[in-house]
Amino acid sequence: MKALYEQNQSDVNEVKSGGQSDLIPTIKFRHCSLLRNRRCAVAYLYDRLLRIRALRWEYGSVLPNALRFHMSAEEMEWFNRYKKSLATYMRSLGGDEGLDITQDMKPPKSLYIEVRCLKDYGEFEVDDGTSVLLKKNSQHFLPRWKCEQLVRQGILEHVLS
Amino acid sequence: MFVSDFRKEFYEVVQSQRVLLFVASDVDALCACKILQALFQCDHVQYTLVPVSGWQELETAFLEHKEQFHYFILINCGANVDLLDILQPDEDAIFFVCDTHRPVNVVNVYNDAQIKLLIKQDDDLEVPAYDDIFRDEEEDEEHSGSESDNGSEPSEKRTRLEEEIVARTMKRRQRREWEAQRRDILFDYEQYEYHGTSSAMVMFDLAWMMSKDLNDMLWWAIVGLTDQWVQDKITQMKYVTDVGVLQRHVSRHNHRNEDEENALSVDCTRISFEYDLRLALYQHWSLHDSLCNTCYTAARFKLWSVHGQKRLQEFLADVGLPLKQVKQKFQSMDISLKENLREMIEESANKFGMKDMRVQTFSIHFGFKHRFLASDVVFATMSLMESPKKDSSGTDNFIQALDSLSRSNLDKLYHGLELAKKQLQATQQTIASCLCTNLVISQGPFLYCSLMEGTPDIALFSKPASLTLLSRYLLKSFVFSTKNRRCKLLPLVMAAPLSVEQGTVTVVGIPPETDSSDRKNFFGRAFEKAAESTNSRTLHNHFDLSVIELKAEDRSKFLDALVSLLS
């Protein structure tokens, strides 16, 4: 883009100084391509922002390191600000404690769900402080809100029977 | 100790806790597990399910999970050994054991604190009395204490000393007699292995007591019982009694189907009692294939010989079924032939010497297309669980089999049926080749057969249940093929290669085949003793003690020891 812009700039200067009008179409053409390139770049950056926003809903407020590695500093800042505004909104919702709307994305059918472990995960803490060891192919019957994150990440699989 | 009130002492205790379920890898355990899972899901009991296929897996899984749970439920594992010794749990761990393996280990019976047995006491248990096997150690110490503080006077001392010596030797002799008696009692008690009431039926009973039983759970109880019958784990009498019990439940749940006006829609599950043919999978196969691959008919017709094939043709002609029809898929047979099929086959079977062609069993229907007999489901689930796929581990197969028992996973059940067909065909072919090449040799007190490494389909017989089924069928067929009257009464020991890299074989012991056998198997203890006496490298990993793994090099000395032990 920079190359195109410089060429355009030199041509514009030539026209201004020389008064030739036959370079004007070239200048217009280069200007259009510059505008198009800018549109593409902005669309790409905007799409990245939308995906980062979706990450907040998928992974929660802490992103895994692998993902953070691929984001630029500005994107991280945008993410943090989005997190903050989402948190403020959630706090303003239901009474004193606020309502966590990132849970229960689909209307839940029951309090507890049966899940099957697809990969070895290790220990997973349950509400009363004790933990459950998630090994491959073990099945568990746990409260829905605890498992939702892991189900979304693909470590647990919801078993419908 | 035995739990008397299942609801109060078991269910209400675990209802507010998180429990860990250890489930063994057989169909009866799967069915019991499904029933218990349904109950727990109804009451929101948080549980974790861990499949185990042997003692080592049980121990490893227990070590991994023991900090996280206090209540453990073991299904079809753990009753016949000293659990506290093997697992070494903490003081506050409580085990609920629902197991069909008998005899129940005496330590498990008499431990009041940590082990609760979910076993009905009207099963013929014959547990020895407490005083016969356990003895308080205090009496001896008291006596030795009083021995030390002797009297003061020498003469009195001498007579008292003599008396005391006499008393001491009497005591010692009594103790030795008591110990010898104890050893005899324990030996008699633990000598024979057998099976009790199906765990699935026990769990269904619990559900019924709480009025939470459903048709689905009833079907699982039926499948559990049929599994015990298919694998010859219970006597015919017990099977018939249990079928009677379940039949009452079936009529209670399914009476609406009889009434023409208020009948349920076709898509609802219906279970019905059938007095149906005992041909394996015959409704999902062709009749001819089923006749050839069911052990009952194959053994009696002697289908491994040419003469036997001719007899089969005669039989079919007698029933009046054209060969073309019989070789088609059963569902495509002419309806006119299918109408009175059962009665016609039974009549002809009686003429050919097969009196028990029909058995009491149950079938389930839902929709127009799906109809299964209990034995169909048992074969399908068993094949799914023991399918020798290379990549999948034992637990993958377990999960597949567990899923196939739910009504929404019919595709898995059909896949299981296909696998079962292959398994049955491979079984019959292996039996035919063993009998034709005289691989079954008499070693004196028992018959011995060993499958070689290159036998086709050998991979299908590396798991214990498939190998046990093959061995039982082989023994039944052998009894019909041999003319030697003494050989007909001998038990069978069967060996099949397990893993080529480690050089191990699986060895299975089957009790002798008699009409009224009580299905008691003494090979568990016999294998243990033979292994000890020859220092063979064996692994008694399976919950059924009559199935062991052995290093191939130690095979001959192990067999020699077994021969000398049993003769």
Side-chain angles (χ1 to χ4, degrees):
Chain A
M1 268 173 77
K2 226 177 176 180
L4 279 172
Y5 180 72
E6 271 159 25
Q7 282 173 353
N8 239 12
Q9 194 65 24
S10 61
D11 273 345
V12 162
N13 285 338
E14 231 182 87
V15 165
K16 268 207 208 150
S17 55
Q20 278 171 309
S21 49
D22 52 346
L23 285 175
I24 292 187
T26 332
I27 295 173
K28 272 206 188 146
F29 177 71
R30 281 201 207 100
H31 190 65
C32 284
S33 60
L34 274 172
L35 284 176
R36 182 191 171 272
N37 287 349
R38 188 182 75 174
R39 218 168 49 229
C40 290
V42 170
Y44 169 69
L45 288 172
Y46 184 61
D47 190 60
R48 274 179 78 102
L49 281 183
L50 287 180
R51 282 174 200 239
I52 292 174
R53 187 176 74 177
L55 284 178
R56 167 63 184 91
W57 289 84
E58 201 177 303
Y59 282 95
S61 35
V62 179
L63 292 179
N65 281 329
L67 285 171
R68 263 190 276 192
F69 179 67
H70 290 290
M71 298 201 308
S72 69
E74 288 88 5
E75 283 169 339
M76 272 311 298
E77 216 202 293
W78 185 88
F79 180 73
N80 288 333
R81 277 202 242 144
Y82 177 74
K83 253 197 316 186
K84 246 187 250 175
S85 60
L86 182 64
T88 332
Y89 176 64
M90 289 202 282
R91 232 175 291 137
S92 70
L93 281 179
D96 280 329
E97 314 104 35
L99 181 67
D100 188 358
I101 49 180
T102 58
Q103 289 184 356
D104 290 338
M105 303 283 268
K106 293 193 204 129
K109 295 270 187 323
S110 58
L111 274 180
Y112 288 78
I113 52 171
E114 166 113 18
V115 287
R116 177 176 303 157
C117 197
L118 296 174
K119 308 175 203 154
D120 275 335
Y121 180 73
E123 303 228 339
F124 178 61
E125 225 185 284
V126 187
D127 280 339
D128 51 356
T130 50
S131 49
V132 176
L133 179 71
L134 293 177
K135 257 199 118 174
K136 185 163 195 265
N137 280 333
S138 56
Q139 280 189 221
H140 309 267
F141 189 63
L142 297 170
R144 168 176 275 276
W145 56 92
K146 294 247 70 161
C147 315
E148 240 187 312
Q149 281 288 325
L150 292 175
V151 171
R152 263 184 251 160
Q153 286 174 25
I155 295 178
L156 294 178
E157 177 198 1
H158 182 27
V159 175
L160 308 143
S161 66
Chain B
M1 60 175 243
F2 289 104
V3 170
S4 45
D5 186 346
F6 280 29
R7 182 182 192 167
K8 279 208 209 100
E9 296 175 40
F10 164 56
Y11 199 73
E12 291 183 1
V13 169
V14 295
Q15 207 171 0
S16 47
Q17 307 285 339
R18 288 175 43 230
V19 286
L20 181 58
L21 284 172
F22 286 115
V23 181
S25 302
D26 65 271
V27 180
D28 186 27
L30 280 181
C31 295
C33 166
K34 288 290 273 193
I35 298 180
L36 198 54
Q37 270 183 308
L39 285 175
F40 281 166
Q41 282 170 10
C42 194
D43 286 321
H44 294 312
V45 178
Q46 298 184 43
Y47 65 86
T48 296
L49 174 71
V50 177
V52 289
S53 61
W55 295 112
Q56 285 180 343
E57 268 192 44
L58 181 62
E59 280 172 53
T60 349
F62 181 73
L63 279 175
E64 283 169 359
H65 286 98
K66 71 174 181 178
E67 270 101 47
Q68 299 142 12
F69 294 93
H70 294 296
Y71 290 90
F72 302 87
I73 302 183
L74 283 80
I75 301 191
N76 268 1
C77 49
N80 47 353
V81 290
D82 186 355
L83 263 186
L84 297 179
D85 195 36
I86 290 200
L87 296 178
Q88 307 275 340
D90 299 327
E91 288 291 319
D92 54 352
I94 299 200
F95 294 88
F96 291 98
V97 180
C98 180
D99 192 354
T100 56
H101 292 104
R102 307 272 181 276
V104 183
N105 190 292
V106 288
V107 177
N108 290 346
V109 172
Y110 289 117
N111 178 318
D112 284 336
Q114 288 188 279
I115 301 193
K116 320 260 181 195
L117 297 166
L118 296 173
I119 294 175
K120 298 231 185 264
Q121 286 199 279
D122 47 307
D123 264 355
D124 45 346
L125 288 167
E126 297 161 4
V127 184
Y130 183 78
D131 293 323
D132 286 341
I133 19 183
F134 296 108
R135 183 192 172 105
D136 294 329
E137 293 300 318
E138 299 163 14
E139 300 170 13
D140 284 342
E141 287 175 27
E142 223 180 79
H143 192 76
S144 56
S146 64
E147 276 172 339
S148 52
D149 46 29
N150 278 327
S152 43
E153 303 234 12
S155 57
E156 275 187 18
K157 207 182 191 177
R158 191 178 297 147
T159 45
R160 209 182 298 170
L161 203 60
E162 279 174 12
E163 280 176 18
E164 295 218 10
I165 290 179
V166 167
R168 236 186 292 168
T169 40
M170 283 297 297
K171 208 51 189 217
R172 239 180 265 154
R173 194 191 307 166
Q174 264 182 10
R175 193 194 164 81
R176 252 177 270 145
E177 276 175 16
W178 180 86
E179 279 189 353
Q181 204 187 19
R182 172 180 185 267
R183 248 173 300 164
D184 282 335
I185 292 182
L186 276 181
F187 180 74
D188 284 334
Y189 178 61
E190 294 179 349
Q191 190 183 28
Y192 288 100
E193 269 191 299
Y194 57 104
H195 289 266
T197 316
S198 145
S199 312
M201 280 185 66
V202 169
M203 288 296 166
F204 180 76
D205 230 25
L206 169 66
W208 180 46
M209 264 198 273
M210 301 195 295
S211 298
K212 289 191 177 145
D213 56 328
L214 296 169
N215 229 359
D216 283 334
M217 293 189 201
L218 177 57
W219 177 244
W220 289 325
I222 291 173
V223 173
L225 172 65
T226 315
D227 171 61
Q228 286 198 317
W229 176 73
V230 162
Q231 296 200 25
D232 259 349
K233 287 187 181 169
I234 52 176
T235 61
Q236 188 69 13
M237 280 273 293
K238 182 148 177 58
Y239 175 70
V240 171
T241 325
D242 286 343
V243 162
V245 168
L246 286 177
Q247 193 182 353
R248 290 197 282 273
H249 289 295
V250 164
S251 43
R252 180 168 59 91
H253 276 283
N254 292 289
H255 62 273
R256 271 179 77 184
N257 306 329
E258 318 293 325
D259 194 357
E260 282 299 321
E261 292 170 356
N262 291 332
L264 290 172
S265 112
V266 156
D267 286 326
C268 291
T269 311
R270 309 169 183 214
I271 305 180
S272 50
F273 174 75
E274 310 266 348
Y275 188 41
D276 210 340
L277 300 170
R278 74 196 278 174
L279 301 172
L281 305 179
Y282 79 95
Q283 289 169 356
H284 303 272
W285 221 348
S286 70
L287 198 55
H288 185 253
D289 278 333
S290 185
L291 279 165
C292 293
N293 290 311
T294 305
C295 172
Y296 185 74
T297 45
R300 280 163 182 73
F301 282 135
K302 303 198 183 70
L303 285 178
W304 51 87
S305 62
V306 176
H307 177 68
Q309 300 280 348
K310 283 206 199 114
R311 284 203 78 198
L312 177 63
Q313 315 278 23
E314 281 174 27
F315 173 75
L316 288 170
D318 194 68
V319 180
L321 297 168
L323 255 188
K324 222 172 115 182
Q325 290 285 333
V326 161
K327 292 201 178 171
Q328 273 187 28
K329 274 186 68 155
F330 185 79
Q331 285 155 354
S332 331
M333 268 175 79
D334 269 350
I335 300 214
S336 53
L337 292 172
K338 277 198 275 191
E339 260 166 25
N340 289 325
L341 186 70
R342 292 184 214 169
E343 285 84 15
M344 294 188 326
I345 290 194
E346 192 183 8
E347 248 185 72
S348 306
N350 275 330
K351 283 189 226 163
F352 279 75
M354 296 188 281
K355 307 278 177 200
D356 306 315
M357 196 61 166
R358 288 169 80 172
V359 279
Q360 301 180 343
T361 183
F362 298 93
S363 73
I364 191 173
H365 309 229
F366 29 93
F368 287 106
K369 237 176 31 161
H370 308 295
R371 183 174 184 272
F372 301 100
L373 282 178
S375 55
D376 298 343
V377 177
V378 167
F379 280 117
T381 316
M382 213 170 13
S383 309
L384 274 176
M385 196 146 52
E386 308 223 321
S387 71
K389 273 196 292 222
K390 292 269 186 293
D391 305 327
S392 55
S393 66
T395 41
D396 275 343
N397 285 342
F398 180 92
I399 297 290
Q400 289 273 348
L402 193 65
D403 276 345
S404 78
L405 284 173
S406 304
R407 245 192 308 148
S408 48
N409 291 324
L410 279 179
D411 51 339
K412 294 199 183 160
L413 191 60
Y414 280 115
H415 177 61
L417 281 173
E418 297 302 312
L419 287 176
K421 288 182 198 171
K422 289 202 196 105
Q423 179 97 18
L424 284 170
Q425 280 174 325
T427 308
Q428 284 305 321
Q429 281 167 2
T430 318
I431 290 179
S433 71
C434 281
L435 289 174
C436 291
T437 56
N438 287 328
L439 272 181
V440 183
I441 36 187
S442 161
Q443 294 276 10
F446 57 86
L447 301 164
Y448 175 69
C449 176
S450 162
L451 291 179
M452 290 299 126
E453 179 51 41
T455 324
D457 300 319
I458 194 74
L460 284 174
F461 301 119
S462 54
K463 302 273 173 81
S466 328
L467 187 59
T468 317
L469 211 58
L470 168 69
S471 319
R472 280 187 205 267
Y473 289 174
L474 179 61
L475 186 59
K476 288 193 217 242
S477 308
F478 181 77
V479 162
F480 279 100
S481 83
T482 183
K483 298 211 184 0
N484 185 335
R485 215 175 292 174
R486 203 182 76 83
C487 279
K488 292 199 201 220
L489 301 172
L490 293 177
L492 172 68
V493 171
M494 180 105 181
L498 175 63
S499 137
V500 186
E501 306 97 45
Q502 296 168 358
T504 48
V505 291
T506 317
V507 181
V508 168
I510 310 288
E513 183 69 28
T514 53
D515 282 333
S516 60
S517 74
D518 51 2
R519 310 281 190 265
K520 292 205 181 189
N521 195 340
F522 52 82
F523 277 106
R525 303 290 156 195
F527 283 166
E528 266 179 36
K529 288 217 186 91
E532 264 177 49
S533 61
T534 58
N535 286 328
S536 317
R537 292 159 286 174
T538 55
L539 193 60
H540 299 259
N541 194 28
H542 297 284
F543 297 123
D544 263 331
L545 294 172
S546 56
V547 180
I548 61 167
E549 292 171 20
L550 173 68
K551 282 272 187 199
E553 298 107 28
D554 297 337
R555 209 198 310 207
S556 38
K557 60 176 175 169
F558 180 79
L559 281 175
D560 290 333
L562 206 57
V563 170
S564 54
L565 196 66
L566 292 174
S567 47

